[in-house]
Amino acid sequence: MTELGASRLCSSEKDVSGFHLHCALPAFIIYGFIFQAHELHSAPLNVTGPPGPITVAAGEDVVLPCRFSSEQSSRDTEVVWFREHFSPYVHRYKGGQDQYGEQMLQYQGRTEQLKDGLAKGSVDLKIFRAQLSDRGNYTCFVRRDSYYDEAVVELEVTASGSGPLIALEHYQDGGIRVACRSAGWYPKPQVLWQDPHGQRLPPLSESVTQDEGGLFAVESSIILTRGTNQKLFCSVRHALRSQEKGSAFYVSDPFFQNAHPWRAALGVVLVAAVTLLVIAVYLFKIKGKHEKKIVMQEAALRDRDAEIEKQAEELAWRRYAVPIEEAKVVLDPDTAHCDLVLSDDCKSVKREDTLQDIPDNPERFKPWRCVLGREGFTSGRYYWEVEAVDGGGWTVGVSREDVKRKGEIEFKPEEGIWAVGQWAGQFQALTSPNRTLLPEIQTPKRIRVSLDYEEGRVAFFSVDEEIPIFTFPLASFEGIRVHPWVWLGPGTWLKMWP
């Protein structure tokens, strides 16, 4: 199938929180399964959000603005605010009343649809007592009669921590070590040291920790010396809200008299040093050979352990990265979503979000932009590689043949999908019940997918760095055929190797 020929009829679409409503409005069809809506049309209703993120301090109330304009009037306006999925939702307003039947647990008792501006096209949502977990993207979905549209609103939640606490710790390097501590910040703040003239001073050390609630605590230390910087100023600065909390302090001269305690104890140290020297010479003659032997044995053990670890890593890579058979994956155009354009040899796919004329057969994915490999596996060990050019995210992996093709799909093993990818701006494994973030892995350009059907193992490796990425817990495919599977975000291009 060519890029110009591989298509099907689609209607106008709008991006809903990273997904697209199009092709006979599949995303709203999912919504219609829940709310029993009719077939809708995307015009002439127009919904808009703010041009940039909305920022609020944790614990404060915030209003997420959303407006709509329509060429007709109607008494029935339905508004649904949701995040990643239509249901459960953040808030729903329908029939002139707020609906709480399927509201997300974390928002219960904390949301209100502002109705004063509804007649003027304002459907703002108020969230009470904002929490760090509230930050992210919200989709404002509006329906009037048979028309609908949606917009995305981004919420940033911040927290200003405590004022800096100054602590004199101990003498060090001819001066006094001073620490500056503060906690309760989000996002991570910046700690600055300044002299009386406003010049910044480099810290001796810095540390940042994050508690279970996501708040950051910072600590920075510096060496205070007599005369040059006895007076200092420590400030902690908020990264987003340009807020700053600081503390100034001064240490008087008498405290520096003990900065060199070696002078008072010099005589005692010299006597002790002579005594220890005599004892050391004696012990050296007796135990010198024995200690040398121990040192050599320890060095040999360290070298052996390092070699064993290196061999184990190499064996792990070879065991899982080089299965028995190399699979030559060809994509199946009959399963490809109508926005996906396949190359002539069906070895690469690109999401173009264009109107294409291809039949909506039962095996075609809709509304998710997915496509399967043409050949599947019911036994054996295989591997193939996928090269990714990221646009708006991607995931690669394997899928059971009986995976759901129409309507809402959860990308997780319980639904028959084992995959990793760049999702919502983060590289992660699509595990269940929660996804596994992989911050220590640099998002690879080329991924190797490894499948051991009998053992039920699905593993992923970075071809760029030749390291394992993630291995799913062993699964039972129950004799069902398993296919290569990919999902593409907006503007993404994937190529199958070999």
Side-chain angles (χ1 to χ4, degrees), residues 229-260:
N229 60 350
Q230 289 180 234
K231 183 176 181 181
L232 288 180
F233 182 79
C234 174
S235 62
V236 184
R237 183 172 298 171
H238 201 291
L240 294 179
R241 308 189 72 181
S242 301
Q243 293 181 346
E244 182 176 300
K245 296 184 179 180
S247 296
F249 62 96
Y250 175 82
V251 179
S252 60
D253 288 342
F255 287 95
F256 292 95
Q257 294 178 2
N258 294 326
H260 301 281

mmCIF file of all heavy atoms in Angstrom, residues 229-260:
data_model
loop_
_atom_site.group_PDB
_atom_site.id
_atom_site.type_symbol
_atom_site.label_atom_id
_atom_site.label_comp_id
_atom_site.label_asym_id
_atom_site.label_seq_id
_atom_site.Cartn_x
_atom_site.Cartn_y
_atom_site.Cartn_z
ATOM 1 N N ASN A 229 34.488 36.736 54.648
ATOM 2 C CA ASN A 229 33.046 36.513 54.486
ATOM 3 C C ASN A 229 32.397 36.095 55.800
ATOM 4 O O ASN A 229 31.684 35.106 55.880
ATOM 5 C CB ASN A 229 32.778 35.462 53.405
ATOM 6 C CG ASN A 229 33.424 34.115 53.746
ATOM 7 O OD1 ASN A 229 34.209 34.024 54.675
ATOM 8 N ND2 ASN A 229 33.068 33.092 53.002
ATOM 9 N N GLN A 230 32.663 36.871 56.851
ATOM 10 C CA GLN A 230 32.033 36.571 58.131
ATOM 11 C C GLN A 230 30.534 36.861 58.094
ATOM 12 O O GLN A 230 29.780 36.328 58.894
ATOM 13 C CB GLN A 230 32.690 37.390 59.256
ATOM 14 C CG GLN A 230 34.091 36.914 59.595
ATOM 15 C CD GLN A 230 34.709 37.722 60.702
ATOM 16 O OE1 GLN A 230 35.789 38.252 60.554
ATOM 17 N NE2 GLN A 230 34.043 37.847 61.825
ATOM 18 N N LYS A 231 30.099 37.707 57.167
ATOM 19 C CA LYS A 231 28.687 38.026 57.016
ATOM 20 C C LYS A 231 28.211 37.488 55.667
ATOM 21 O O LYS A 231 28.782 37.798 54.625
ATOM 22 C CB LYS A 231 28.449 39.535 57.080
ATOM 23 C CG LYS A 231 26.974 39.921 57.005
ATOM 24 C CD LYS A 231 26.792 41.429 57.163
ATOM 25 C CE LYS A 231 25.305 41.793 57.118
ATOM 26 N NZ LYS A 231 25.100 43.253 57.253
ATOM 27 N N LEU A 232 27.144 36.664 55.690
ATOM 28 C CA LEU A 232 26.635 36.047 54.476
ATOM 29 C C LEU A 232 25.113 36.105 54.439
ATOM 30 O O LEU A 232 24.465 36.347 55.470
ATOM 31 C CB LEU A 232 27.080 34.580 54.377
ATOM 32 C CG LEU A 232 28.556 34.311 54.058
ATOM 33 C CD1 LEU A 232 28.803 32.821 54.001
ATOM 34 C CD2 LEU A 232 28.955 34.950 52.750
ATOM 35 N N PHE A 233 24.561 35.848 53.255
ATOM 36 C CA PHE A 233 23.116 35.819 53.047
ATOM 37 C C PHE A 233 22.784 34.551 52.265
ATOM 38 O O PHE A 233 23.362 34.288 51.209
ATOM 39 C CB PHE A 233 22.652 37.055 52.280
ATOM 40 C CG PHE A 233 21.160 37.120 52.070
ATOM 41 C CD1 PHE A 233 20.322 37.534 53.098
ATOM 42 C CD2 PHE A 233 20.592 36.747 50.857
ATOM 43 C CE1 PHE A 233 18.948 37.582 52.915
ATOM 44 C CE2 PHE A 233 19.222 36.803 50.668
ATOM 45 C CZ PHE A 233 18.400 37.229 51.709
ATOM 46 N N CYS A 234 21.856 33.733 52.802
ATOM 47 C CA CYS A 234 21.390 32.529 52.112
ATOM 48 C C CYS A 234 19.931 32.742 51.693
ATOM 49 O O CYS A 234 19.092 33.117 52.522
ATOM 50 C CB CYS A 234 21.498 31.294 53.011
ATOM 51 S SG CYS A 234 20.785 29.797 52.280
ATOM 52 N N SER A 235 19.627 32.490 50.431
ATOM 53 C CA SER A 235 18.257 32.641 49.931
ATOM 54 C C SER A 235 17.840 31.388 49.174
ATOM 55 O O SER A 235 18.658 30.730 48.527
ATOM 56 C CB SER A 235 18.139 33.864 49.016
ATOM 57 O OG SER A 235 18.974 33.731 47.884
ATOM 58 N N VAL A 236 16.540 31.060 49.267
ATOM 59 C CA VAL A 236 15.959 29.942 48.535
ATOM 60 C C VAL A 236 14.923 30.530 47.588
ATOM 61 O O VAL A 236 13.996 31.223 48.026
ATOM 62 C CB VAL A 236 15.309 28.911 49.480
ATOM 63 C CG1 VAL A 236 14.797 27.721 48.687
ATOM 64 C CG2 VAL A 236 16.300 28.457 50.534
ATOM 65 N N ARG A 237 15.075 30.254 46.315
ATOM 66 C CA ARG A 237 14.281 30.917 45.278
ATOM 67 C C ARG A 237 13.372 29.922 44.580
ATOM 68 O O ARG A 237 13.792 28.840 44.183
ATOM 69 C CB ARG A 237 15.204 31.575 44.255
ATOM 70 C CG ARG A 237 14.505 32.367 43.156
ATOM 71 C CD ARG A 237 15.515 33.118 42.339
ATOM 72 N NE ARG A 237 16.251 34.090 43.155
ATOM 73 C CZ ARG A 237 17.309 34.761 42.718
ATOM 74 N NH1 ARG A 237 17.752 34.567 41.494
ATOM 75 N NH2 ARG A 237 17.930 35.611 43.513
ATOM 76 N N HIS A 238 12.078 30.313 44.437
ATOM 77 C CA HIS A 238 11.091 29.494 43.742
ATOM 78 C C HIS A 238 11.348 29.550 42.242
ATOM 79 O O HIS A 238 11.567 30.628 41.685
ATOM 80 C CB HIS A 238 9.680 29.989 44.063
ATOM 81 C CG HIS A 238 8.617 28.980 43.827
ATOM 82 N ND1 HIS A 238 8.266 28.561 42.571
ATOM 83 C CD2 HIS A 238 7.833 28.278 44.691
ATOM 84 C CE1 HIS A 238 7.305 27.668 42.661
ATOM 85 N NE2 HIS A 238 7.024 27.464 43.931
ATOM 86 N N ALA A 239 11.292 28.390 41.569
ATOM 87 C CA ALA A 239 11.630 28.335 40.147
ATOM 88 C C ALA A 239 10.566 28.954 39.252
ATOM 89 O O ALA A 239 10.889 29.515 38.206
ATOM 90 C CB ALA A 239 11.864 26.876 39.728
ATOM 91 N N LEU A 240 9.267 28.918 39.632
ATOM 92 C CA LEU A 240 8.198 29.384 38.757
ATOM 93 C C LEU A 240 7.601 30.719 39.165
ATOM 94 O O LEU A 240 7.232 31.532 38.324
ATOM 95 C CB LEU A 240 7.073 28.333 38.690
ATOM 96 C CG LEU A 240 7.427 26.990 38.027
ATOM 97 C CD1 LEU A 240 6.232 26.060 38.068
ATOM 98 C CD2 LEU A 240 7.880 27.212 36.599
ATOM 99 N N ARG A 241 7.488 30.968 40.478
ATOM 100 C CA ARG A 241 6.719 32.123 40.936
ATOM 101 C C ARG A 241 7.585 33.316 41.333
ATOM 102 O O ARG A 241 7.091 34.283 41.887
ATOM 103 C CB ARG A 241 5.839 31.714 42.112
ATOM 104 C CG ARG A 241 4.989 30.489 41.824
ATOM 105 C CD ARG A 241 3.978 30.210 42.899
ATOM 106 N NE ARG A 241 2.897 31.187 42.870
ATOM 107 C CZ ARG A 241 1.873 31.186 43.724
ATOM 108 N NH1 ARG A 241 1.821 30.280 44.672
ATOM 109 N NH2 ARG A 241 0.923 32.092 43.643
ATOM 110 N N SER A 242 8.880 33.232 41.076
ATOM 111 C CA SER A 242 9.807 34.346 41.373
ATOM 112 C C SER A 242 9.732 34.766 42.829
ATOM 113 O O SER A 242 9.933 35.935 43.153
ATOM 114 C CB SER A 242 9.508 35.536 40.443
ATOM 115 O OG SER A 242 9.657 35.153 39.093
ATOM 116 N N GLN A 243 9.415 33.836 43.705
ATOM 117 C CA GLN A 243 9.407 34.115 45.136
ATOM 118 C C GLN A 243 10.748 33.733 45.740
ATOM 119 O O GLN A 243 11.418 32.826 45.254
ATOM 120 C CB GLN A 243 8.277 33.345 45.827
ATOM 121 C CG GLN A 243 6.889 33.799 45.429
ATOM 122 C CD GLN A 243 5.814 33.022 46.154
ATOM 123 O OE1 GLN A 243 6.077 31.994 46.754
ATOM 124 N NE2 GLN A 243 4.590 33.517 46.104
ATOM 125 N N GLU A 244 11.112 34.411 46.811
ATOM 126 C CA GLU A 244 12.411 34.157 47.433
ATOM 127 C C GLU A 244 12.298 34.349 48.939
ATOM 128 O O GLU A 244 11.651 35.283 49.408
ATOM 129 C CB GLU A 244 13.457 35.114 46.848
ATOM 130 C CG GLU A 244 14.863 34.900 47.384
ATOM 131 C CD GLU A 244 15.870 35.806 46.699
ATOM 132 O OE1 GLU A 244 16.005 35.695 45.463
ATOM 133 O OE2 GLU A 244 16.493 36.642 47.395
ATOM 134 N N LYS A 245 12.898 33.424 49.689
ATOM 135 C CA LYS A 245 12.976 33.527 51.134
ATOM 136 C C LYS A 245 14.438 33.429 51.531
ATOM 137 O O LYS A 245 15.154 32.555 51.043
ATOM 138 C CB LYS A 245 12.154 32.420 51.804
ATOM 139 C CG LYS A 245 10.655 32.505 51.526
ATOM 140 C CD LYS A 245 9.881 31.442 52.283
ATOM 141 C CE LYS A 245 8.379 31.579 52.003
ATOM 142 N NZ LYS A 245 7.587 30.556 52.742
ATOM 143 N N GLY A 246 14.869 34.345 52.411
ATOM 144 C CA GLY A 246 16.282 34.388 52.741
ATOM 145 C C GLY A 246 16.541 34.667 54.203
ATOM 146 O O GLY A 246 15.661 35.108 54.949
ATOM 147 N N SER A 247 17.786 34.409 54.604
ATOM 148 C CA SER A 247 18.248 34.674 55.971
ATOM 149 C C SER A 247 19.688 35.163 55.906
ATOM 150 O O SER A 247 20.517 34.601 55.175
ATOM 151 C CB SER A 247 18.175 33.409 56.833
ATOM 152 O OG SER A 247 16.849 32.979 56.995
ATOM 153 N N ALA A 248 19.971 36.235 56.672
ATOM 154 C CA ALA A 248 21.337 36.764 56.778
ATOM 155 C C ALA A 248 21.904 36.411 58.147
ATOM 156 O O ALA A 248 21.173 36.263 59.126
ATOM 157 C CB ALA A 248 21.333 38.280 56.573
ATOM 158 N N PHE A 249 23.229 36.249 58.231
ATOM 159 C CA PHE A 249 23.850 35.908 59.520
ATOM 160 C C PHE A 249 25.291 36.437 59.553
ATOM 161 O O PHE A 249 25.900 36.717 58.514
ATOM 162 C CB PHE A 249 23.806 34.398 59.749
ATOM 163 C CG PHE A 249 24.566 33.601 58.712
ATOM 164 C CD1 PHE A 249 25.869 33.189 58.948
ATOM 165 C CD2 PHE A 249 23.959 33.269 57.521
ATOM 166 C CE1 PHE A 249 26.551 32.470 57.997
ATOM 167 C CE2 PHE A 249 24.651 32.556 56.563
ATOM 168 C CZ PHE A 249 25.946 32.146 56.797
ATOM 169 N N TYR A 250 25.805 36.547 60.765
ATOM 170 C CA TYR A 250 27.151 37.068 60.969
ATOM 171 C C TYR A 250 27.793 36.304 62.125
ATOM 172 O O TYR A 250 27.148 36.037 63.149
ATOM 173 C CB TYR A 250 27.109 38.570 61.284
ATOM 174 C CG TYR A 250 28.460 39.155 61.628
ATOM 175 C CD1 TYR A 250 29.351 39.521 60.628
ATOM 176 C CD2 TYR A 250 28.842 39.351 62.962
ATOM 177 C CE1 TYR A 250 30.591 40.053 60.937
ATOM 178 C CE2 TYR A 250 30.077 39.891 63.281
ATOM 179 C CZ TYR A 250 30.950 40.242 62.264
ATOM 180 O OH TYR A 250 32.174 40.763 62.579
ATOM 181 N N VAL A 251 29.074 35.935 61.959
ATOM 182 C CA VAL A 251 29.817 35.227 62.999
ATOM 183 C C VAL A 251 30.956 36.136 63.460
ATOM 184 O O VAL A 251 31.774 36.589 62.649
ATOM 185 C CB VAL A 251 30.364 33.889 62.482
ATOM 186 C CG1 VAL A 251 31.163 33.190 63.574
ATOM 187 C CG2 VAL A 251 29.220 32.993 62.011
ATOM 188 N N SER A 252 31.018 36.412 64.760
ATOM 189 C CA SER A 252 32.038 37.328 65.303
ATOM 190 C C SER A 252 33.403 36.641 65.431
ATOM 191 O O SER A 252 33.514 35.414 65.396
ATOM 192 C CB SER A 252 31.595 37.861 66.671
ATOM 193 O OG SER A 252 31.410 36.791 67.570
ATOM 194 N N ASP A 253 34.455 37.447 65.642
ATOM 195 C CA ASP A 253 35.838 36.962 65.646
ATOM 196 C C ASP A 253 36.123 35.867 66.669
ATOM 197 O O ASP A 253 36.869 34.930 66.371
ATOM 198 C CB ASP A 253 36.796 38.132 65.878
ATOM 199 C CG ASP A 253 36.873 39.038 64.660
ATOM 200 O OD1 ASP A 253 36.468 38.568 63.566
ATOM 201 O OD2 ASP A 253 37.305 40.190 64.793
ATOM 202 N N PRO A 254 35.611 35.945 67.911
ATOM 203 C CA PRO A 254 36.001 34.924 68.907
ATOM 204 C C PRO A 254 35.721 33.497 68.469
ATOM 205 O O PRO A 254 36.432 32.577 68.887
ATOM 206 C CB PRO A 254 35.166 35.303 70.136
ATOM 207 C CG PRO A 254 34.945 36.771 69.996
ATOM 208 C CD PRO A 254 34.791 37.010 68.531
ATOM 209 N N PHE A 255 34.729 33.290 67.624
ATOM 210 C CA PHE A 255 34.414 31.919 67.204
ATOM 211 C C PHE A 255 35.503 31.325 66.314
ATOM 212 O O PHE A 255 35.614 30.109 66.199
ATOM 213 C CB PHE A 255 33.078 31.886 66.457
ATOM 214 C CG PHE A 255 31.886 32.056 67.361
ATOM 215 C CD1 PHE A 255 31.314 33.305 67.544
ATOM 216 C CD2 PHE A 255 31.358 30.975 68.037
ATOM 217 C CE1 PHE A 255 30.228 33.467 68.379
ATOM 218 C CE2 PHE A 255 30.265 31.134 68.872
ATOM 219 C CZ PHE A 255 29.704 32.385 69.054
ATOM 220 N N PHE A 256 36.330 32.178 65.690
ATOM 221 C CA PHE A 256 37.361 31.671 64.797
ATOM 222 C C PHE A 256 38.647 31.302 65.525
ATOM 223 O O PHE A 256 39.562 30.758 64.919
ATOM 224 C CB PHE A 256 37.668 32.709 63.699
ATOM 225 C CG PHE A 256 36.524 32.911 62.745
ATOM 226 C CD1 PHE A 256 35.615 33.936 62.932
ATOM 227 C CD2 PHE A 256 36.359 32.063 61.662
ATOM 228 C CE1 PHE A 256 34.571 34.123 62.061
ATOM 229 C CE2 PHE A 256 35.305 32.247 60.788
ATOM 230 C CZ PHE A 256 34.403 33.277 60.981
ATOM 231 N N GLN A 257 38.739 31.611 66.813
ATOM 232 C CA GLN A 257 39.961 31.299 67.548
ATOM 233 C C GLN A 257 40.180 29.801 67.665
ATOM 234 O O GLN A 257 41.312 29.336 67.796
ATOM 235 C CB GLN A 257 39.905 31.929 68.940
ATOM 236 C CG GLN A 257 39.927 33.458 68.913
ATOM 237 C CD GLN A 257 39.814 34.056 70.297
ATOM 238 O OE1 GLN A 257 39.761 33.347 71.290
ATOM 239 N NE2 GLN A 257 39.776 35.389 70.354
ATOM 240 N N ASN A 258 39.094 29.043 67.641
ATOM 241 C CA ASN A 258 39.209 27.588 67.716
ATOM 242 C C ASN A 258 39.197 26.924 66.344
ATOM 243 O O ASN A 258 39.088 25.701 66.253
ATOM 244 C CB ASN A 258 38.067 27.014 68.548
ATOM 245 C CG ASN A 258 38.157 27.436 70.000
ATOM 246 O OD1 ASN A 258 39.250 27.579 70.541
ATOM 247 N ND2 ASN A 258 37.008 27.654 70.633
ATOM 248 N N ALA A 259 39.317 27.746 65.299
ATOM 249 C CA ALA A 259 39.304 27.175 63.957
ATOM 250 C C ALA A 259 40.564 26.384 63.671
ATOM 251 O O ALA A 259 40.603 25.577 62.743
ATOM 252 C CB ALA A 259 39.129 28.281 62.908
ATOM 253 N N HIS A 260 41.656 26.615 64.479
ATOM 254 C CA HIS A 260 42.913 25.882 64.333
ATOM 255 C C HIS A 260 43.250 25.210 65.660
ATOM 256 O O HIS A 260 44.225 25.580 66.334
ATOM 257 C CB HIS A 260 44.041 26.819 63.908
ATOM 258 C CG HIS A 260 43.768 27.528 62.617
ATOM 259 N ND1 HIS A 260 43.933 26.928 61.392
ATOM 260 C CD2 HIS A 260 43.320 28.787 62.366
ATOM 261 C CE1 HIS A 260 43.616 27.786 60.441
ATOM 262 N NE2 HIS A 260 43.239 28.922 61.006
#
